[in-house]
Amino acid sequence: MKKTIEVVGAIIIDNQKILCAQRGSGKSLAHYWEFPGGKIEEHETPIEALKRELTEELLISVNVEEELFESTTYEYDFGFVHLTTFICHLIEGVPTLTEHVNIKWLPSSKLGTLEWAPADIPTVEKLKTTL
């Protein structure tokens, strides 16, 4: 039976644009675009995990809206990924590449121009119609 991995993703909004991050070549789903974030550790809430991951991956601090934006499960060859995304607002720092190879700030209408990881696509589609 395949394992389910609980992950969180940040929809970081600044100046009416959304931060998109491209995965590095040494990772699964290499070069796909995603909403930055990562795995929820056993002792963490989703919001705590998201804040920790953004501090580690992008060296930034964010304010996370309490209500989840989207929740989806996608079956990859390595297991099921259950992704929960939240709207976030940049508080401090400038996104710095530590794990990703590229970032872009795009308006919601341009999100469809990138090749997204499959688990992120439902969030992309919802953003195109709500923001």
Side-chain angles (χ1 to χ4, degrees):
M1 190 164 114
K2 289 187 177 180
K3 183 171 133 176
T4 298
I5 304 164
E6 297 288 333
V7 298
V8 285
I11 304 161
I12 303 171
I13 301 173
D14 193 39
N15 292 323
Q16 300 179 338
K17 292 187 177 179
I18 298 166
L19 182 70
C20 310
Q22 190 177 32
R23 295 179 62 83
S25 51
K27 300 188 171 281
S28 61
L29 304 168
H31 303 291
Y32 279 98
W33 290 84
E34 67 179 357
F35 296 103
K39 294 178 188 172
I40 301 172
E41 301 295 335
E42 191 174 319
H43 62 282
E44 293 177 312
T45 67
I47 290 175
E48 289 170 342
L50 194 53
K51 288 179 177 182
R52 176 187 52 77
E53 287 283 352
L54 294 175
T55 299
E56 291 173 3
E57 287 185 6
L58 295 172
L59 310 178
I60 59 172
S61 296
V62 297
N63 186 8
V64 181
E65 292 187 8
E66 291 290 323
E67 187 176 329
L68 72 90
F69 182 79
E70 183 66 80
S71 180
T72 186
T73 301
Y74 188 85
E75 182 179 4
Y76 291 101
D77 57 353
F78 56 82
F80 293 93
V81 168
H82 178 236
L83 171 65
T84 304
T85 52
F86 293 87
I87 300 284
C88 300
H89 304 279
L90 193 58
I91 298 173
E92 184 178 29
V94 175
T96 304
L97 299 175
T98 64
E99 294 189 20
H100 296 92
V101 294
N102 196 6
I103 57 172
K104 291 184 181 189
W105 290 95
L106 296 176
S108 60
S109 61
K110 299 287 184 191
L111 294 177
T113 63
L114 301 178
E115 188 174 1
W116 290 89
D120 290 88
I121 292 173
T123 298
V124 169
E125 293 302 317
K126 186 173 179 181
L127 283 167
K128 291 192 308 191
T129 61
T130 58
L131 290 185

